[in-house]
Amino acid sequence: MAGIYVHIPFCKRRCLYCDFFSTTMLGRQKEYIEALLKEIAARRNETGEPIRTIYLGGGTPSTLESADISRLLQAIVTADATEVTMEMNAGDADTAYLQAIRQAGVNRLSIGIQSFQDELLRQIGRRHTAAQAAEAVHMAQEAGFDNISIDLIYALPSQRTEQWQADIETALDLGIQHISCYGLMYEEGTALTKMLETGQITAIDEDTENAMYDYLCERLKAAGFVHYEVSNFALPGYEAQHNSSYWNGTPYIGIGAGAHSYTRKDGEAVRSWNPDDLDAYIQGINNGTLVRGNERLTERDLFNEQVMLGLRTSHGCTLPPSVSRRATVGYYKELDLLSEPEEGHIIATQKGLHVLNRIIEDLMEG
Ligand code: SF4
């Protein structure tokens, strides 16, 4: 089984913290859709395996007309897909639109909310209010969506612990099935990072950020959510299938500007990617000269990915025996940052999740 990811790199406005590839040139959507349809037709069978999951991500897929969503999903033509996710900005929710995309085949929504505090939403440049965010979820439920995920961000500048705790309660009150939560990252070159560098905002301290994360994990666990990946929580049975395939090595085809693919052919694992440039992508597709970057993954690459992705999940990862790696695992076990339920199989502890990147780096092969 495989997945298809379709990148929709359009946003009505850029959020101040975002470094994803997207543009506000909505006038170019039509020509982009035509290019996507061509790429889908050429590549939809590339993995040689049935497509089980489809993910429309961005950018903001909900800036597209519902008729275009329908055309894209029809072009993928698969009866095997069990999960069809679409990302939506909370500011785009509208009953008729939601009904239309559901009709088109979307059966899972991922709604970008980030915060239920208006002052924080303004600070990070989101274009919706807290009330619109809650209303978006209600409208989606009324339209028949019964698999809804929302994204929240913690460790926002000047965010108070009580505000974060209130956000979690608001999320739980909405009756959603999945929550993705990310600690704010100050990515190089973003407007928010410039504000930090010039002293207009202050980052919250690491202890407070860790306490926010621990509270999140405990509260969602108490509410019946499974903490199945470092940033992802789901009611049992609602774990994101598409994202899980990134973590467990399932092949996927990435369609659109900047999209990445992972395929296995003749025993070789290959990662490839489209240019993250709208003109280069559209022209390349239209005149058949698209240059897709690619790399063959070595045994070492695959091992490192297994460590990096596996340790982010609640399943952990299995390590082949090695004296030096045993010493590293032993060191982190002593510090209660790793557990080893079976010899060679390691899982990050709650404390370990705070320093996960460091642990992963130490276990990867250089
Ligand atoms: S809507 Fe999403 S992709 Fe677009 S700028 Fe904001 S965070 Fe980035």
PDB file of all heavy atoms in Angstrom, residues 28 51 53 71 87 108 115 133 151 168 186 228 240 275 305 359:
ATOM      1  N   ARG A  28      -2.622  32.370  -9.654  1.00  0.00           N
ATOM      2  CA  ARG A  28      -1.936  31.334 -10.435  1.00  0.00           C
ATOM      3  C   ARG A  28      -2.476  29.926 -10.145  1.00  0.00           C
ATOM      4  O   ARG A  28      -1.920  28.934 -10.613  1.00  0.00           O
ATOM      5  CB  ARG A  28      -0.435  31.399 -10.160  1.00  0.00           C
ATOM      6  CG  ARG A  28       0.110  32.797 -10.465  1.00  0.00           C
ATOM      7  CD  ARG A  28       1.556  32.781 -10.758  1.00  0.00           C
ATOM      8  NE  ARG A  28       1.892  31.946 -11.899  1.00  0.00           N
ATOM      9  CZ  ARG A  28       3.135  31.614 -12.212  1.00  0.00           C
ATOM     10  NH1 ARG A  28       4.133  32.054 -11.471  1.00  0.00           N
ATOM     11  NH2 ARG A  28       3.388  30.852 -13.254  1.00  0.00           N
ATOM     12  N   ILE A  51      -3.032   2.760  -3.832  1.00  0.00           N
ATOM     13  CA  ILE A  51      -2.981   3.980  -3.014  1.00  0.00           C
ATOM     14  C   ILE A  51      -3.990   3.858  -1.870  1.00  0.00           C
ATOM     15  O   ILE A  51      -5.194   3.745  -2.085  1.00  0.00           O
ATOM     16  CB  ILE A  51      -3.313   5.226  -3.878  1.00  0.00           C
ATOM     17  CG1 ILE A  51      -2.287   5.383  -5.005  1.00  0.00           C
ATOM     18  CG2 ILE A  51      -3.378   6.483  -3.023  1.00  0.00           C
ATOM     19  CD1 ILE A  51      -0.863   5.609  -4.544  1.00  0.00           C
ATOM     20  N   THR A  53      -3.736   6.039   1.066  1.00  0.00           N
ATOM     21  CA  THR A  53      -3.983   7.332   1.719  1.00  0.00           C
ATOM     22  C   THR A  53      -3.691   8.467   0.742  1.00  0.00           C
ATOM     23  O   THR A  53      -2.761   8.392  -0.060  1.00  0.00           O
ATOM     24  CB  THR A  53      -3.092   7.517   2.965  1.00  0.00           C
ATOM     25  OG1 THR A  53      -1.721   7.513   2.563  1.00  0.00           O
ATOM     26  CG2 THR A  53      -3.340   6.426   3.997  1.00  0.00           C
ATOM     27  N   ARG A  71     -11.718  17.680  -8.806  1.00  0.00           N
ATOM     28  CA  ARG A  71     -10.955  17.263  -9.997  1.00  0.00           C
ATOM     29  C   ARG A  71      -9.665  16.544  -9.592  1.00  0.00           C
ATOM     30  O   ARG A  71      -9.285  15.540 -10.190  1.00  0.00           O
ATOM     31  CB  ARG A  71     -10.591  18.484 -10.850  1.00  0.00           C
ATOM     32  CG  ARG A  71     -11.781  19.083 -11.592  1.00  0.00           C
ATOM     33  CD  ARG A  71     -11.352  20.335 -12.320  1.00  0.00           C
ATOM     34  NE  ARG A  71     -10.581  20.058 -13.525  1.00  0.00           N
ATOM     35  CZ  ARG A  71      -9.712  20.896 -14.066  1.00  0.00           C
ATOM     36  NH1 ARG A  71      -9.480  22.076 -13.502  1.00  0.00           N
ATOM     37  NH2 ARG A  71      -9.051  20.579 -15.146  1.00  0.00           N
ATOM     38  N   GLU A  87      -6.034  19.614   4.395  1.00  0.00           N
ATOM     39  CA  GLU A  87      -5.750  20.670   5.367  1.00  0.00           C
ATOM     40  C   GLU A  87      -6.651  21.869   5.059  1.00  0.00           C
ATOM     41  O   GLU A  87      -6.907  22.177   3.897  1.00  0.00           O
ATOM     42  CB  GLU A  87      -4.279  21.098   5.276  1.00  0.00           C
ATOM     43  CG  GLU A  87      -3.324  20.041   5.778  1.00  0.00           C
ATOM     44  CD  GLU A  87      -1.867  20.477   5.688  1.00  0.00           C
ATOM     45  OE1 GLU A  87      -1.596  21.577   5.151  1.00  0.00           O
ATOM     46  OE2 GLU A  87      -1.002  19.710   6.126  1.00  0.00           O
ATOM     47  N   ARG A 108     -11.314  13.192   5.932  1.00  0.00           N
ATOM     48  CA  ARG A 108     -10.598  13.597   7.151  1.00  0.00           C
ATOM     49  C   ARG A 108     -10.146  15.042   6.955  1.00  0.00           C
ATOM     50  O   ARG A 108      -9.580  15.374   5.915  1.00  0.00           O
ATOM     51  CB  ARG A 108      -9.394  12.681   7.389  1.00  0.00           C
ATOM     52  CG  ARG A 108      -8.596  13.006   8.620  1.00  0.00           C
ATOM     53  CD  ARG A 108      -7.522  11.932   8.884  1.00  0.00           C
ATOM     54  NE  ARG A 108      -6.811  12.206  10.094  1.00  0.00           N
ATOM     55  CZ  ARG A 108      -5.740  12.994  10.182  1.00  0.00           C
ATOM     56  NH1 ARG A 108      -5.229  13.535   9.092  1.00  0.00           N
ATOM     57  NH2 ARG A 108      -5.155  13.202  11.341  1.00  0.00           N
ATOM     58  N   SER A 115      -4.164  28.460  17.931  1.00  0.00           N
ATOM     59  CA  SER A 115      -4.438  28.976  19.277  1.00  0.00           C
ATOM     60  C   SER A 115      -5.908  29.367  19.347  1.00  0.00           C
ATOM     61  O   SER A 115      -6.524  29.673  18.317  1.00  0.00           O
ATOM     62  CB  SER A 115      -3.559  30.200  19.548  1.00  0.00           C
ATOM     63  OG  SER A 115      -3.947  30.818  20.764  1.00  0.00           O
ATOM     64  N   ALA A 133     -12.356  29.708  14.665  1.00  0.00           N
ATOM     65  CA  ALA A 133     -11.717  28.390  14.744  1.00  0.00           C
ATOM     66  C   ALA A 133     -12.689  27.360  15.315  1.00  0.00           C
ATOM     67  O   ALA A 133     -12.859  26.271  14.752  1.00  0.00           O
ATOM     68  CB  ALA A 133     -10.449  28.484  15.604  1.00  0.00           C
ATOM     69  N   ASP A 151      -4.586  21.536  14.520  1.00  0.00           N
ATOM     70  CA  ASP A 151      -3.191  21.860  14.859  1.00  0.00           C
ATOM     71  C   ASP A 151      -3.188  22.971  15.897  1.00  0.00           C
ATOM     72  O   ASP A 151      -3.910  23.958  15.749  1.00  0.00           O
ATOM     73  CB  ASP A 151      -2.458  22.434  13.636  1.00  0.00           C
ATOM     74  CG  ASP A 151      -2.073  21.380  12.628  1.00  0.00           C
ATOM     75  OD1 ASP A 151      -2.347  20.197  12.866  1.00  0.00           O
ATOM     76  OD2 ASP A 151      -1.491  21.760  11.596  1.00  0.00           O
ATOM     77  N   ILE A 168      -6.116  23.737  25.457  1.00  0.00           N
ATOM     78  CA  ILE A 168      -6.290  22.270  25.441  1.00  0.00           C
ATOM     79  C   ILE A 168      -7.725  21.915  25.841  1.00  0.00           C
ATOM     80  O   ILE A 168      -8.363  21.053  25.228  1.00  0.00           O
ATOM     81  CB  ILE A 168      -5.259  21.595  26.377  1.00  0.00           C
ATOM     82  CG1 ILE A 168      -3.841  21.871  25.862  1.00  0.00           C
ATOM     83  CG2 ILE A 168      -5.510  20.096  26.490  1.00  0.00           C
ATOM     84  CD1 ILE A 168      -2.734  21.512  26.848  1.00  0.00           C
ATOM     85  N   TYR A 186      11.523  29.028  15.919  1.00  0.00           N
ATOM     86  CA  TYR A 186      11.899  30.291  15.279  1.00  0.00           C
ATOM     87  C   TYR A 186      12.779  29.956  14.089  1.00  0.00           C
ATOM     88  O   TYR A 186      13.987  29.797  14.220  1.00  0.00           O
ATOM     89  CB  TYR A 186      12.628  31.196  16.277  1.00  0.00           C
ATOM     90  CG  TYR A 186      11.706  31.744  17.343  1.00  0.00           C
ATOM     91  CD1 TYR A 186      11.536  31.078  18.547  1.00  0.00           C
ATOM     92  CD2 TYR A 186      10.978  32.907  17.123  1.00  0.00           C
ATOM     93  CE1 TYR A 186      10.672  31.563  19.525  1.00  0.00           C
ATOM     94  CE2 TYR A 186      10.104  33.400  18.083  1.00  0.00           C
ATOM     95  CZ  TYR A 186       9.963  32.723  19.283  1.00  0.00           C
ATOM     96  OH  TYR A 186       9.098  33.208  20.234  1.00  0.00           O
ATOM     97  N   TYR A 228       0.762   8.890  20.093  1.00  0.00           N
ATOM     98  CA  TYR A 228       1.406   7.883  19.248  1.00  0.00           C
ATOM     99  C   TYR A 228       2.630   8.405  18.513  1.00  0.00           C
ATOM    100  O   TYR A 228       3.394   7.634  17.936  1.00  0.00           O
ATOM    101  CB  TYR A 228       0.406   7.275  18.253  1.00  0.00           C
ATOM    102  CG  TYR A 228      -0.083   8.197  17.172  1.00  0.00           C
ATOM    103  CD1 TYR A 228       0.400   8.089  15.870  1.00  0.00           C
ATOM    104  CD2 TYR A 228      -1.041   9.169  17.421  1.00  0.00           C
ATOM    105  CE1 TYR A 228      -0.042   8.921  14.859  1.00  0.00           C
ATOM    106  CE2 TYR A 228      -1.495  10.008  16.422  1.00  0.00           C
ATOM    107  CZ  TYR A 228      -0.989   9.883  15.148  1.00  0.00           C
ATOM    108  OH  TYR A 228      -1.433  10.714  14.154  1.00  0.00           O
ATOM    109  N   ALA A 240      -3.345   9.142  12.406  1.00  0.00           N
ATOM    110  CA  ALA A 240      -3.271   9.538  10.990  1.00  0.00           C
ATOM    111  C   ALA A 240      -2.559   8.452  10.193  1.00  0.00           C
ATOM    112  O   ALA A 240      -1.385   8.180  10.423  1.00  0.00           O
ATOM    113  CB  ALA A 240      -2.515  10.854  10.861  1.00  0.00           C
ATOM    114  N   PRO A 275      11.003  20.742  -7.703  1.00  0.00           N
ATOM    115  CA  PRO A 275      11.536  22.057  -7.313  1.00  0.00           C
ATOM    116  C   PRO A 275      10.497  22.854  -6.518  1.00  0.00           C
ATOM    117  O   PRO A 275       9.309  22.819  -6.837  1.00  0.00           O
ATOM    118  CB  PRO A 275      11.816  22.740  -8.666  1.00  0.00           C
ATOM    119  CG  PRO A 275      11.032  21.964  -9.674  1.00  0.00           C
ATOM    120  CD  PRO A 275      10.890  20.585  -9.161  1.00  0.00           C
ATOM    121  N   GLU A 305      17.283   6.960   9.285  1.00  0.00           N
ATOM    122  CA  GLU A 305      15.866   7.333   9.199  1.00  0.00           C
ATOM    123  C   GLU A 305      15.039   6.516  10.171  1.00  0.00           C
ATOM    124  O   GLU A 305      14.113   7.013  10.807  1.00  0.00           O
ATOM    125  CB  GLU A 305      15.332   7.105   7.780  1.00  0.00           C
ATOM    126  CG  GLU A 305      15.854   8.138   6.836  1.00  0.00           C
ATOM    127  CD  GLU A 305      14.887   8.472   5.710  1.00  0.00           C
ATOM    128  OE1 GLU A 305      13.879   7.765   5.547  1.00  0.00           O
ATOM    129  OE2 GLU A 305      15.167   9.440   4.998  1.00  0.00           O
ATOM    130  N   ILE A 359      19.255  12.819  21.543  1.00  0.00           N
ATOM    131  CA  ILE A 359      19.358  11.356  21.631  1.00  0.00           C
ATOM    132  C   ILE A 359      19.485  10.764  20.225  1.00  0.00           C
ATOM    133  O   ILE A 359      20.337   9.908  19.960  1.00  0.00           O
ATOM    134  CB  ILE A 359      18.107  10.765  22.333  1.00  0.00           C
ATOM    135  CG1 ILE A 359      17.982  11.306  23.755  1.00  0.00           C
ATOM    136  CG2 ILE A 359      18.158   9.243  22.326  1.00  0.00           C
ATOM    137  CD1 ILE A 359      16.703  10.891  24.463  1.00  0.00           C
TER     138      ILE A 359
END
